[in-house]
Amino acid sequence: MFAEPDDPAAVDRMRAARTMACAALGVTAPGVTALGVTAPAPQARSGTREAWGWRGRTLGGPVLGPYGLGWLRVVHSPVEKANGKLWTGPEEAERLVGPQVPRPRLHLVREWAEGRDAYRAELYDHVEGRAVSPTPVLTEAPGLSAAWWSGLRTALGRLSAVRTERAAVRQAYLDRAMPKYLAFLPGPVPTVPPAWSTAHGDLHWANLTGPQLAVLD
């Protein structure tokens, strides 16, 4: 999770989009309802009512709606870039990945545009527990159970069997990026992996929850 953007116009734009998303999906967020009445504040997974993405591209938070307590994620993009793997990834994951991989399920999606700005609203399950770390890097031992680690291994194994044409990392990237790290390594590093498989494209500690395992994003 990132900090609120420094640009007040971007903050206002995303909050206005969240209000529209709530109306379109029939949900209420803390302080956001179609009638202008303050809704109760459900407990967020991160302990906050707002969860900002990189450079304010996304805004997430807990909501109440047709599926009970949920999580609303609003995404912004210039209209000409409202496509591709970052835009359609959640729907593809919901369609391709089986329920055996523990994660917040995606229930509803709405898209709209205002001038040169495109928006996408996604309504997910609300996940119990908290992120293992507030940042991608651990600063202390996570204290997770053996069952949690076993569940993670099982989930990643099931994910590796999913068939998809989407690619997060390509051979050209490995050829370009890995030689940069040779100064830190004792010798040459082969850049061609022995095999390729499906994986989480952004797997890190802030995208895993505990003590109950869920895989986020």
Side-chain angles (χ1 to χ4, degrees), residues 17-103:
R18 178 182 58 190
T19 300
M20 292 189 63
C22 286
L25 296 175
V27 300
T28 57
V32 182
T33 72
L35 299 177
V37 178
T38 300
Q43 181 64 37
R45 72 169 185 238
S46 58
T48 181
R49 296 184 187 180
E50 290 188 335
W52 288 94
W54 182 71
R55 293 187 177 178
R57 181 178 180 270
T58 66
L59 175 59
V63 293
L64 292 170
Y67 301 95
L69 183 58
W71 186 267
L72 175 65
R73 178 177 183 261
V74 179
V75 187
H76 167 262
S77 172
V79 168
E80 66 273 14
K81 296 183 179 180
N83 54 55
K85 63 184 181 182
L86 292 178
W87 192 254
T88 62
E91 278 186 291
E92 288 289 291
E94 182 62 30
R95 181 175 64 86
L96 295 172
V97 180
Q100 298 86 357
V101 177
R103 67 189 192 281

Side-chain angles (χ1 to χ4, degrees), residues 8-213:
V11 173
D12 291 344
R13 182 181 67 236
M14 289 300 289
R15 287 176 176 162
R18 178 182 58 190
T19 300
M20 292 189 63
C22 286
L25 296 175
V27 300
T28 57
V32 182
T33 72
L35 299 177
V37 178
T38 300
Q43 181 64 37
R45 72 169 185 238
S46 58
T48 181
R49 296 184 187 180
E50 290 188 335
W52 288 94
W54 182 71
R55 293 187 177 178
R57 181 178 180 270
T58 66
L59 175 59
V63 293
L64 292 170
Y67 301 95
L69 183 58
W71 186 267
L72 175 65
R73 178 177 183 261
V74 179
V75 187
H76 167 262
S77 172
V79 168
E80 66 273 14
K81 296 183 179 180
N83 54 55
K85 63 184 181 182
L86 292 178
W87 192 254
T88 62
E91 278 186 291
E92 288 289 291
E94 182 62 30
R95 181 175 64 86
L96 295 172
V97 180
Q100 298 86 357
V101 177
R103 67 189 192 281
R105 305 305 299 270
L106 176 61
H107 293 290
L108 297 171
V109 175
R110 297 289 186 272
E111 295 182 6
W112 72 96
E114 298 177 7
R116 301 183 64 180
D117 296 308
Y119 298 93
R120 178 183 175 92
E122 301 161 351
L123 179 61
Y124 295 89
D125 290 331
H126 191 278
V127 175
E128 297 297 328
R130 303 173 68 88
V132 174
S133 171
T135 67
V137 179
L138 279 178
T139 57
E140 59 184 13
L144 299 166
S145 67
W148 188 95
W149 289 104
S150 177
L152 179 61
R153 285 192 294 270
T154 299
L156 297 181
R158 287 169 173 164
L159 187 59
S160 70
V162 174
R163 299 181 64 85
T164 177
E165 298 301 318
R166 298 168 63 87
V169 177
R170 300 180 185 274
Q171 184 61 53
Y173 170 79
L174 297 179
D175 293 340
R176 181 177 71 255
M178 292 181 69
K180 296 180 181 179
Y181 299 100
L182 290 180
F184 305 98
L185 299 172
V189 175
T191 62
V192 179
W196 291 88
S197 68
T198 301
H200 190 307
D202 193 25
L203 186 66
H204 55 67
W205 296 107
N207 275 341
L208 296 168
T209 70
Q212 182 176 338
L213 172 65

